[in-house]
Amino acid sequence: MRRSFSFFERFSKAFQDYPSISRIIVVSTISGGGLIAYSEANGTNGVVETGTRKKKVVLLGTGWAGTSFLKNLNNSQYEVQIISPRNYFAFTPLLPSVTCGTVEARSVVEPIRNIGRKKNVDTSYLEAECFKIDPASKKVFCRSKQGVSNGNKEFSVDYDYLVIATGAQSNTFNIPGVEENCHFLKEVEDAQGIRKTVIDSFEKASLPELSDEERKRILHFVVVGGGPTGVEFAAELHDFVTEDLVTLYPKAKDLVRITLLEAADHILTMFDKRITEFAEAKFSRDGIDVKLGSMVTKVNEKDISAKTKGGEVSSIPYGMIVWSTGIGTRPVIKDFMKQIGQGNRRALATDEWLRVEGCDNIYALGDCATINQRKVMEDVSAIFSKADKDNSGTLTLKEFQEAMDDICVRYPQVELYLKSKRMRGIADLLKEAEADDGSKKNIELKIEEFKSALSQVDSQVKFLPATAQVAAQQGTYLAKCFDRMEECEKNPEGPIRMRGEGRHRFRPFRYRHLGSFAPLGGEQTAAELPGDWVSIGHSSQWLWYSVYASKQVSWRTRVLVVSDWMRRFIFGRDSSSI
């Protein structure tokens, strides 16, 4: 105690003996505190330490594409404004599991503010829905979901760069009654609604004074769409019924029916034929009625009308319908497409760098957009001119070989075509073209011969599927482009500009397919992996568990999902209607 008192005595004496020290400390403290207060007060004013204004990036959407972009953006020179009616990211591949209680809804969502606050980039979030994009004034117009005291829910936000990642909505194909009577499976709320309806159906069928026909109708679950989502939901529902619900509702055991309607000749048409055949055979063994070639024409309150390819129309009574037939364009995107002259398209057209065609500072990715891959034959004359460095009017093998890398990067269909023909390089393509005419050893092509050699290349142009895997890779790619925007302005790293001078700033986006899964119920999953590798069975199910656990956006959701799986193994699925 005495020692502490002596310290304060000496400290006080020093202040009295050296008054200048006290003034320096006081001034430093006040000025430092002022700087801290100033920095905090101006922390979101978009000014970096160098005094230059931060570029404002407005991000529309918190789905796979938007969240992937946000997670991978690391350049502090941007200020990111996130706008979405959904203040969380949802791991949508597990939504079929949420419908049956295999996984809880909160286990597959991560608040978007949690993701944003872990970044060294200034981020802010507004819970609102964008209803109009004005590219001329660089504004987006939004409508708040929350009630406000002054009654004005609409506002506008300026941007320097706009990233559109709004996703898509379920496609009803304008079939009467779908919107009013069907459940969709796009959002967490949809999965929760399906789960409640399933349990309510069993409770309703347990009530007295109902006829057997009415009970059968109530317990008839119809799934429209034989894609991955529809097939996985049908499999999950079958497991839920046979493993959990029939023990709780024993009288319903012989009344439950699950029907899958698919307009095509097979389900899971995007998968390998072996997977399609196994899935159809397994569903047949499990008692799931798969009706192929059945096109829905109308949905009423208690029955659904379907037409076969032969023209026969049947009416099917149902208790619940889940509609999973594809995606459609959101109204805000339709309106924006009309503004920029893309009104006749199904999705926003972007170039290979994910930039909306005709808009320099607007990017679109995920389900709301599609890459309009440029054709080789559109640029074939420019390619020939670039490769013909000596302006001789003919192209030697050496000249083309030097430009080959840039051509393959700029036009991915060239590489796909070479693989399909088992060619080692473009030299083989040119030799094949010359061989058709019995040509000479030293290859020299004129422009007409060059066009003939590349005439079939564009047949390999592929449109990317609307999947979470594509959206996530696009978000990561675009974030990396934004991180190196200034650097690549000075030192472009992309391919040669075939029309114009210099190089493109970045290499174009290239999708890398990592494989696909199709859970089929009964702890069996079909996996189609790169290299034409197909695996079906219990081992693939454990691979599915490990991959989906590793792909969670945080350790919190990873632990929750794994614990839900363990809980289901031990205690079964929860059958409460909440």
Side-chain angles (χ1 to χ4, degrees):
M1 184 72 179
R2 177 62 188 168
R3 184 175 297 175
S4 300
F5 183 70
S6 299
F7 169 77
F8 286 111
E9 278 186 338
R10 289 195 297 271
F11 192 73
S12 176
K13 190 173 186 300
F15 261 55
Q16 295 171 4
D17 293 344
Y18 302 98
S20 59
I21 294 178
S22 64
R23 285 194 291 270
I24 290 172
I25 292 175
V26 171
V27 170
S28 299
T29 303
I30 294 174
S31 61
L35 286 172
I36 292 172
Y38 178 79
S39 65
E40 288 181 350
N42 294 274
T44 59
N45 66 352
V47 180
V48 296
E49 292 178 0
T50 58
T52 59
R53 188 179 71 86
K54 288 187 177 183
K55 293 286 187 180
K56 186 171 184 178
V57 180
V58 171
L59 172 61
L60 300 180
T62 54
W64 278 96
T67 302
S68 179
F69 173 80
L70 180 63
K71 283 191 67 180
N72 290 279
L73 185 66
N74 294 309
N75 194 330
S76 60
Q77 294 184 353
Y78 295 110
E79 174 193 355
V80 182
Q81 176 70 73
I82 310 161
I83 301 174
S84 174
R86 190 177 73 181
N87 72 345
Y88 56 85
F89 164 79
F91 193 87
T92 51
L94 285 177
L95 287 184
S97 298
V98 174
T99 62
C100 299
T102 305
V103 173
E104 291 299 323
R106 291 194 177 276
S107 300
V108 300
V109 301
E110 180 70 17
I112 201 66
R113 294 181 187 272
N114 283 0
I115 298 173
R117 69 181 176 84
K118 298 174 183 178
K119 307 292 297 178
N120 62 349
V121 181
D122 286 342
T123 62
S124 57
Y125 168 76
L126 296 173
E127 189 178 65
E129 183 175 10
C130 175
F131 64 88
K132 183 180 179 182
I133 300 170
D134 187 354
S137 61
K138 290 188 174 182
K139 291 179 182 290
V140 293
F141 296 87
C142 308
R143 186 177 294 112
S144 172
K145 288 186 64 181
Q146 304 294 335
V148 288
S149 57
N150 60 6
N152 185 16
K153 294 185 177 183
E154 296 183 359
F155 58 92
S156 64
V157 178
D158 299 315
Y159 65 82
D160 294 305
Y161 297 103
L162 177 63
V163 178
I164 303 174
T166 55
Q169 62 186 17
S170 297
N171 194 350
T172 65
F173 300 99
N174 296 320
I175 296 174
V178 172
E179 195 78 42
E180 298 82 5
N181 300 305
C182 295
H183 289 270
F184 302 107
L185 192 49
K186 289 284 292 179
E187 305 289 344
V188 174
E189 293 85 357
D190 296 335
Q192 291 174 312
I194 291 171
R195 178 176 173 176
K196 188 176 189 306
T197 302
V198 170
I199 301 301
D200 287 348
S201 297
F202 275 84
E203 294 293 352
K204 188 185 297 184
S206 300
L207 295 174
E209 299 182 1
L210 286 178
S211 66
D212 287 343
E213 287 299 317
E214 182 66 7
R215 286 191 174 90
K216 287 181 180 179
R217 183 193 68 80
I218 293 171
L219 294 177
H220 186 198
F221 303 97
V222 177
V223 183
V224 182
T229 302
V231 167
E232 185 175 352
F233 169 70
E236 280 279 356
L237 181 60
H238 174 266
D239 287 354
F240 188 29
V241 170
T242 57
E243 296 174 7
D244 299 278
L245 293 183
V246 293
T247 59
L248 301 174
Y249 305 89
K251 294 182 179 179
K253 182 178 180 180
D254 298 325
L255 302 176
V256 180
R257 288 176 57 208
I258 301 174
T259 299
L260 178 64
L261 302 179
E262 169 55 46
D265 294 331
H266 296 281
I267 61 175
L268 298 177
T269 54
M270 67 292 299
F271 281 83
D272 186 275
K273 186 180 179 181
R274 290 167 287 180
I275 293 177
T276 297
E277 292 175 350
F278 180 87
E280 291 175 356
K282 184 180 185 305
F283 275 17
S284 178
R285 292 193 304 270
D286 291 343
I288 299 175
D289 186 12
V290 179
K291 295 183 180 295
L292 301 173
S294 296
M295 184 178 298
V296 176
T297 57
K298 187 178 181 181
V299 181
N300 296 317
E301 186 178 354
K302 294 185 178 181
D303 62 81
I304 179 172
S305 299
K307 183 173 67 173
T308 64
K309 289 188 176 181
E312 181 182 351
V313 178
S314 60
S315 181
I316 305 171
Y318 72 88
M320 184 189 78
I321 296 180
V322 173
W323 188 270
S324 179
T325 60
I327 57 174
T329 310
R330 293 189 184 276
V332 62
I333 303 300
K334 287 182 180 178
D335 178 70
F336 178 54
M337 289 165 63
K338 290 178 182 177
Q339 292 184 59
I340 61 176
Q342 295 187 19
N344 60 341
R345 302 185 65 94
R346 68 169 184 83
L348 269 173
T350 72
D351 61 20
E352 296 88 338
W353 293 268
L354 308 184
R355 185 174 49 225
V356 175
E357 291 184 344
C359 303
D360 289 337
N361 297 321
I362 302 179
Y363 298 82
L365 51 162
D367 293 354
C368 69
T370 183
I371 296 176
N372 192 13
Q373 175 63 50
R374 193 161 183 83
K375 305 282 182 27
V376 171
M377 295 308 292
E378 293 174 350
D379 295 334
V380 67
S381 298
I383 295 172
F384 187 90
S385 298
K386 287 288 184 181
D388 185 17
K389 294 182 179 179
D390 59 2
N391 297 319
S392 63
T394 59
L395 199 64
T396 65
L397 177 60
K398 181 180 178 182
E399 285 175 326
F400 201 87
Q401 195 73 35
E402 291 175 351
M404 183 179 69
D405 290 341
D406 287 304
I407 292 171
C408 285
V409 170
R410 181 67 181 83
Y411 307 96
Q413 62 265 40
V414 174
E415 187 175 347
L416 293 173
Y417 182 77
L418 295 176
K419 287 182 179 179
S420 69
K421 296 294 183 180
R422 292 183 172 84
M423 297 180 182
R424 290 173 296 176
I426 293 184
D428 290 344
L429 182 65
L430 297 180
K431 288 177 182 177
E432 182 183 64
E434 282 293 328
D436 292 338
D437 299 327
S439 65
K440 2 172 218 254
K441 183 176 180 180
N442 293 324
I443 300 174
E444 289 188 3
L445 294 181
K446 294 181 180 180
I447 182 67
E448 292 79 12
E449 297 166 326
F450 182 68
K451 288 181 179 178
S452 177
L454 296 177
S455 61
Q456 300 299 316
V457 167
D458 289 326
S459 64
Q460 293 296 316
V461 171
K462 305 290 185 183
F463 290 101
L464 298 179
T467 62
Q469 190 175 161
V470 172
Q473 290 187 28
Q474 288 180 337
T476 300
Y477 165 83
L478 189 61
K480 291 180 179 178
C481 290
F482 270 68
D483 283 344
R484 297 172 309 178
M485 188 93 63
E486 289 188 5
E487 176 187 345
C488 292
E489 286 281 2
K490 300 174 184 177
N491 302 301
E493 59 184 32
I496 293 173
R497 294 180 184 272
M498 297 301 172
R499 295 178 180 271
E501 300 299 322
R503 289 183 171 272
H504 292 278
R505 284 182 300 180
F506 312 106
R507 294 172 70 88
F509 172 74
R510 184 72 64 89
Y511 170 62
R512 182 186 174 198
H513 185 62
L514 301 176
S516 302
F517 290 98
L520 302 175
E523 292 299 310
Q524 295 189 68
T525 290
E528 184 176 7
L529 303 177
D532 194 31
W533 188 70
V534 172
S535 175
I536 305 172
H538 298 286
S539 59
S540 299
Q541 179 71 26
W542 287 103
L543 179 62
W544 179 85
Y545 283 134
S546 61
V547 169
Y548 275 30
S550 66
K551 291 296 182 181
Q552 298 298 315
V553 295
S554 70
W555 274 103
R556 185 189 72 88
T557 56
R558 190 171 294 122
V559 170
L560 288 174
V561 166
V562 172
S563 64
D564 283 346
W565 287 333
M566 294 175 63
R567 170 189 52 77
R568 197 268 297 179
F569 276 119
I570 299 171
F571 301 108
R573 300 170 182 84
D574 182 21
S575 61
S576 59
S577 61
I578 56 174

